[in-house]
């Protein structure tokens, strides 16, 4: 058993009963091919929660500082996380993200870049649009509907893949593309409250 499967099982056994995680929309999740999984961001626990909810292994970008923590430096690569420098265009992280998608794997992103203090969805950064435009991956919106309170229900909702053909055909830029993705996440949040 690899570290990812072990960690996923461990996290699931702790978080699922604690937050009564309920997963919806798994039927929308593509069984194969690259998937750009874009979610809102409300808590530090979002990456493990999305990782546990998704039916396939998910690679996440993690802020570079986490890789400076000795124990995390050993664990993060084993759970498919790779470093990203915040606040600047990190070409290496962008290349790595594209590689994940081109190899037919799942790349998980929180387009807002930082977690929302209010629970309201913020403006997405251009990175999500960049990946959506530069790859032919399925783009799957995801909504985490909280709150993170012990023994209260926490929902993770996967929406149908966004039809990117019109977006790619209209030569939209990365920011406009991210706005479309964020709109889908926002709709999921509204429709499942």
């Amino acid at each position: 058993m690899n570290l990812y499967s072990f960690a996923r099982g461990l996290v699931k056994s702790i978080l699922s009963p604690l937050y009564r995680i309920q997963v919806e929309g798994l039927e929308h999740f593509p069984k194969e091919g690259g998937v750009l999984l874009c979610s809102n961001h409300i808590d530090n626990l979002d990456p493990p929660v999305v990782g546990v909810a998704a039916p396939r292994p998910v690679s996440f970008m993690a802020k570079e500082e986490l890789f400076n923590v000795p124990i995390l430096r050993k664990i993060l690569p084993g759970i498919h996380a790779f470093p990203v420098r915040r606040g600047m265009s990190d070409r290496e992280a962008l290349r790595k993200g594209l590689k994940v998608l081109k190899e037919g794997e799942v790349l998980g992103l929180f387009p807002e870049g930082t977690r929302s203090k209010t629970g309201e969805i913020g403006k997405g950064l251009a990175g999500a649009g960049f990946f959506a435009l530069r790859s032919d991956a399925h783009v799957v919106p995801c909504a985490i509907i909280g709150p993170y309170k012990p023994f209260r229900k926490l929902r993770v909702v996967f929406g149908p893949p966004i039809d990117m053909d019109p977006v790619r055909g209209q030569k939209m830029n990365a920011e406009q593309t991210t706005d479309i993705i964020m709109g889908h996440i926002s709709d999921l949040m509204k429709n499942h409250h």
Side-chain angles (χ1 to χ4, degrees):
M1 179 191 282
N2 64 18
L3 181 61
Y4 189 93
S5 306
F6 173 76
R8 186 176 188 273
L10 184 67
V11 167
K12 192 170 191 167
S13 68
I14 297 167
L15 294 184
S16 288
L18 182 62
Y19 295 114
R20 297 181 45 213
I21 297 171
Q22 190 177 353
V23 182
E24 298 169 36
L26 280 174
E27 69 278 6
H28 299 308
F29 208 99
K31 302 259 186 299
E32 53 194 30
V35 173
L36 179 62
L37 179 59
C38 296
S39 176
N40 61 321
H41 198 5
I42 57 173
D43 194 278
N44 283 332
L45 287 172
D46 291 344
V49 164
V50 170
V52 163
R56 293 169 55 190
V58 183
S59 295
F60 285 106
M61 289 184 186
K63 57 187 180 197
E64 194 177 43
E65 299 83 62
L66 294 176
F67 287 81
N68 299 332
V69 180
I71 179 104
L72 290 178
R73 188 182 314 140
K74 290 190 170 57
I75 295 172
L76 288 169
I79 55 170
H80 301 202
F82 59 96
V84 61
R85 288 198 302 271
R86 292 168 70 161
M88 57 185 101
S89 169
D90 184 342
R91 288 208 166 83
E92 185 52 37
L94 294 175
R95 269 199 296 274
K96 173 81 172 114
L98 281 176
K99 183 170 179 278
V100 167
L101 295 172
K102 291 205 161 93
E103 288 175 354
E105 306 291 331
V106 181
L107 177 64
L109 278 193
F110 299 96
E112 293 159 284
T114 181
R115 58 188 190 282
S116 162
K117 304 279 186 280
T118 60
E120 294 297 307
I121 196 158
K123 177 145 179 62
L125 304 172
F130 169 87
F131 287 121
L133 293 170
R134 294 290 176 90
S135 70
D136 53 5
H138 302 285
V139 180
V140 174
C142 173
I144 303 168
I145 301 168
Y148 276 87
K149 295 246 170 69
F151 312 114
R152 294 267 304 275
K153 194 165 66 181
L154 182 73
R155 292 158 72 202
V156 181
V157 184
F158 298 111
I162 300 166
D163 180 8
M164 295 307 294
D165 290 343
V167 179
R168 290 173 180 143
Q170 286 173 11
K171 300 277 183 270
M172 288 193 184
N173 67 24
E175 279 176 18
Q176 293 166 314
T177 305
T178 297
D179 288 344
I180 290 170
I181 295 169
M182 296 308 286
H184 281 265
I185 297 171
S186 182
D187 289 347
L188 278 181
M189 290 168 72
K190 285 194 201 89
N191 298 336
H192 288 84
H193 252 310

